[in-house]
């Protein structure tokens, strides 16, 4: 077994401690000769993760070692990105199976052995590589190891490549809710990425999060409130009590009403006890709290509109009337017959619309599927029954005009 010089061995140990026991081949040759390195590999004291990366033990690599191996494999300028970088910075709930690495544009990292390839150690991970021209100091953290993009860049990359709009909103809200970043820092980073996908949705989400919507259900709840034309609440409203401070998802101070959106975490027994104590403290001054779960937000918006609207009306809120509600006589006057138009035609045109009239290329006022006048005359005055197939769908009988032709023949 090769014997290392004390000074060199200390330096090698420091590097191994910093890189979690992972070395590139050229790094190892700074401390060992080629013969010593071959002996370590033949004796299986060390192993190769890929042609240029070594694992300095014989067991399966850990996830942290896989991350280091991926960065060293991709070469100079490579940094961790996306979900991998965000997870190392503390983001919970959005971990990825593959290791995400960003490399400078035009770099060629080489082949990364798949986890199922022959010779790959147990616990191996897939590698997802993205080329980028934006890997300057404003995008990459200067001190953290392994090198990775700043948290705001990582969150925006995850959101921009998310499969659904819900996940796009959720990851940005999670970053703020977990106290990892702020909406202002996300907005500043977004300004540095002019070509990022989904910019409109990202900007809207950051604005909502800045206003206090720290989760997707809360954001959707605010959309339901807007669509129902209910008064806008104060979001993440602070309520001071002698035994502490409480934040409410939505609060209408004028109407002594608050709303809470509960996720799955609220059903845990300890969280449930704290919620009961919290609701008791909130209700001391007469504030009524209506509570919904995320299921209501996603699938029962009508229930939220009903309950919340009823509570606000009971507290004194009155909805503003629309233009037509303020002018009912005007809306009725629009339905009166115009001079010179026959009454039967008006009656036919004001019947419920449910079918399609081929002659008029619109909606059938009679609700029968074809000619609203019965079958003799088309209301557009362009001829006879549009069907002209011998049978009138309105009368379920024989068209009189075609029957008369048969009699004359």
């Amino acid at each position: 077994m090769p014997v290392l010089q004390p000074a060199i061995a200390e330096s090698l140990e420091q590097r191994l401690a910093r890189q979690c026991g992972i070395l590139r081949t050229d790094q190892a040759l700074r401390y060992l000769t080629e013969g010593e390195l071959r002996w370590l590999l033949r004796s299986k004291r060390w192993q190769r993760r890929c042609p240029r990366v070594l694992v300095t033990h014989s067991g399966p690599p850990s996830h942290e070692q896989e991350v280091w191996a991926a960065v060293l494999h991709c070469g100079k300028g490579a940094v961790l990105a996306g979900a991998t970088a965000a997870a190392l910075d503390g983001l919970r709930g959005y971990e990825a199976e593959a290791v995400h690495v960003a490399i400078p544009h035009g770099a060629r990292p080489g082949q990364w052995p798949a986890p199922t390839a022959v010779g790959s150690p147990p616990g191996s991970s897939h590698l997802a590589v993205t080329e980028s021209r934006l890997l300057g100091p404003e995008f990459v953290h200067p001190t953290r190891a392994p090198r990775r993009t700043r948290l705001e860049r990582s969150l925006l990359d995850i959101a921009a490549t998310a499969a659904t709009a819900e996940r796009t909103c959720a990851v940005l809200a999670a970053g703020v809710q977990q106290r990892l970043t702020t909406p202002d820092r996300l907005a500043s980073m977004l300004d540095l990425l002019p070509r990022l996908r989904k910019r409109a949705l990202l900007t809207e989400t950051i604005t909502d999060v800045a206003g206090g919507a720290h989760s997707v259900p809360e954001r959707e709840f605010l959309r339901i409130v807007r669509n129902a034309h209910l008064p806008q609440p104060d979001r993440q409203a602070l309520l001071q009590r002698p035994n502490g401070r409480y934040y409410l998802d939505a609060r209408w101070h004028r109407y002594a009403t608050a709303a809470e959106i509960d996720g799955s975490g609220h059903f845990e027994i300890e969280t449930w006890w704290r919620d009961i104590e919290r609701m008791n403290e909130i209700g001391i001054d007469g504030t009524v709290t209506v509570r919904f779960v995320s299921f209501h937000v996603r699938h029962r918006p009508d229930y939220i509109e009903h309950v919340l609207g009823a509570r606000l009306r009971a507290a004194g809120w009155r909805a503003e009337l629309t233009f037509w509600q303020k002018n009912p006589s005007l809306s009725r006057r629009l339905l009166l017959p115009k001079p010179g138009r026959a009454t039967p035609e008006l009656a036919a045109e004001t019947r419920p619309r449910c079918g399609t009239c081929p002659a008029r290329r619109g909606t059938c006022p009679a609700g029968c599927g074809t000619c609203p006048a019965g079958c003799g005359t088309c209301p557009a005055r362009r001829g006879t029954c549009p069907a002209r197939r011998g049978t009138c769908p309105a009368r379920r009988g024989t068209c009189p005009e075609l029957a008369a032709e048969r009699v004359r023949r």
Side-chain angles (χ1 to χ4, degrees), residues 356-361 364 366 368-403 405-406:
T356 302
C357 177
R360 301 190 69 178
R361 294 180 175 82
C364 174
C368 63
T370 42
C371 179
C375 66
T377 306
C378 175
R381 298 186 181 87
R382 295 177 183 173
T384 55
C385 176
R388 294 194 62 85
R389 295 175 181 173
T391 303
C392 175
R395 291 189 171 184
R396 302 290 189 271
T398 304
C399 180
E401 284 197 5
L402 298 181
E405 287 183 0
R406 295 193 186 95

Side-chain angles (χ1 to χ4, degrees), residues 59 61 73 186 219 221 303 365 392:
H73 165 75
L186 286 171
R219 184 175 178 272
F221 174 79
Y303 174 75
C392 175

Side-chain angles (χ1 to χ4, degrees), residues 20-327:
C20 296
I22 304 297
L23 289 174
R24 281 176 59 98
T25 303
D26 57 346
Q27 293 176 343
L29 291 176
R30 297 176 188 175
Y31 309 97
L32 304 171
T33 64
E34 292 185 4
E36 292 171 338
L37 180 59
R38 284 196 297 269
W39 182 86
L40 289 170
L41 293 173
R42 282 200 305 268
S43 62
K44 296 185 179 180
R45 286 173 170 80
W46 288 10
Q47 57 183 317
R48 289 190 183 274
R49 177 61 185 90
C50 57
R52 292 182 293 180
V53 178
L54 305 171
V55 182
T56 59
H57 60 79
S58 59
S62 64
H63 177 71
E64 190 174 4
Q65 290 176 330
E66 281 288 287
V67 168
W68 267 104
V71 174
L72 295 177
H73 165 75
C74 292
K76 183 178 180 180
V79 296
L80 297 175
T84 305
L88 291 178
D89 286 333
L91 183 67
R92 302 185 305 275
Y94 295 89
E95 296 81 3
E97 295 183 1
V99 178
H100 292 261
V101 177
I103 60 175
H105 182 73
R108 296 293 179 266
Q111 187 69 27
W112 174 264
T116 57
V118 177
S120 295
S124 303
S125 302
H126 289 280
L127 178 64
V129 179
T130 305
E131 292 187 18
S132 177
R133 300 179 187 271
L134 303 175
L135 294 178
E138 63 272 26
F139 302 106
V140 179
H141 201 282
T143 59
R144 293 180 179 174
R147 295 184 71 238
R148 52 183 177 267
T149 55
R150 296 179 184 269
L151 177 62
E152 293 75 24
R153 169 70 185 273
S154 303
L155 291 174
L156 290 172
D157 286 342
I158 300 172
T161 56
T164 62
E166 289 78 8
R167 188 172 178 83
T168 296
C169 302
V171 67
L172 296 181
V176 177
Q177 187 182 41
Q178 296 175 19
R179 303 294 188 264
L180 300 175
T181 186
T182 63
D184 291 338
R185 292 165 65 178
L186 286 171
S188 299
M189 181 60 70
L190 183 61
D191 292 338
L192 300 176
L193 301 168
R195 296 187 178 182
L196 195 64
R197 296 172 54 195
K198 305 180 182 180
R199 282 189 63 87
L201 179 59
L202 294 174
T203 303
E204 178 185 352
T205 303
I206 293 173
T207 302
D208 284 344
V209 172
H214 290 175
S215 68
V216 173
E218 290 176 29
R219 184 175 178 272
E220 291 299 313
F221 174 79
L222 297 175
R223 182 184 60 80
I224 293 172
V225 171
R226 285 195 297 265
N227 292 345
H229 304 289
L230 297 174
Q232 291 298 303
D234 298 325
R235 293 176 278 182
Q236 294 297 314
L238 174 63
L239 191 64
Q240 188 70 44
R241 286 288 182 265
N243 61 342
R245 295 185 301 176
Y246 301 97
Y247 288 91
L248 300 173
D249 293 340
R251 186 187 186 191
W252 294 262
H253 187 273
R254 180 179 177 182
Y255 305 108
T257 302
E260 287 286 291
I261 312 300
D262 295 341
S264 59
H266 290 263
F267 297 104
E268 298 176 2
I269 186 64
E270 294 183 1
T271 306
W272 179 57
W273 286 345
R274 289 195 297 268
D275 284 345
I276 291 177
E277 296 174 357
R278 184 167 176 265
M279 291 299 103
N280 292 336
E281 290 289 338
I282 292 172
I284 289 176
D285 62 354
T287 300
V288 176
T289 304
V290 291
R291 302 183 66 172
F292 306 102
V293 295
S294 55
F295 175 84
H296 292 137
V297 175
R298 294 187 178 94
H299 304 286
R300 292 291 307 280
D302 54 336
Y303 174 75
I304 295 178
E305 294 177 11
H306 165 69
V307 172
L308 194 55
R311 167 56 201 164
L312 292 174
R313 283 190 291 270
W317 171 72
R318 294 294 177 266
E320 295 185 4
L321 298 178
T322 64
F323 174 81
W324 299 109
Q325 290 173 332
K326 293 178 181 178
N327 302 275

